[in-house]
Amino acid sequence: MTCPEFKALHQRQQVAHLHRHGHRLAERQEDSFELTLYAVADFYAETWRSRDDDHILFIHVFQKPSGLGDYLKLVRLPEWG
């Protein structure tokens, strides 16, 4: 599925597609939200939900690696040496 095709889906269908075909990459928190990052085909999808609720409020879809910046800060590589 392409990025434009995914964006055209209803949010319930997007969530189902992420669970079936997405690769869960990372999680982070921002303010009162829990965010989960998925890789899907040639794009990324980030789900936003309130910390106290399992309901997804919003799905942010992007293709540019620059959108990964907030997640890259969380990566800790082992020290070599």
Side-chain angles (χ1 to χ4, degrees):
M1 174 174 294
T2 67
C3 186
E5 290 171 335
F6 182 83
K7 287 182 176 183
L9 295 175
H10 186 278
Q11 183 173 312
R12 282 190 307 259
Q13 294 169 308
Q14 289 177 340
V15 170
H17 188 79
L18 289 176
H19 287 225
R20 278 192 304 262
H21 304 286
H23 298 282
R24 190 180 200 154
L25 298 178
E27 296 177 0
R28 68 184 182 94
Q29 295 182 358
E30 186 170 312
D31 298 325
S32 62
F33 301 101
E34 291 184 359
L35 288 70
T36 304
L37 178 68
Y38 295 86
V40 188
D42 66 342
F43 62 92
Y44 300 97
E46 181 181 61
T47 60
W48 287 64
R49 65 180 74 206
S50 292
R51 286 187 190 163
D52 300 330
D53 191 3
D54 285 337
H55 177 74
I56 293 175
L57 302 170
F58 179 73
I59 299 177
H60 175 231
V61 180
F62 60 97
Q63 289 181 291
K64 295 184 179 183
S66 60
L68 300 172
D70 289 329
Y71 290 95
L72 294 177
K73 297 174 192 172
L74 302 174
V75 174
R76 298 289 179 250
L77 298 175
E79 292 186 27
W80 299 92

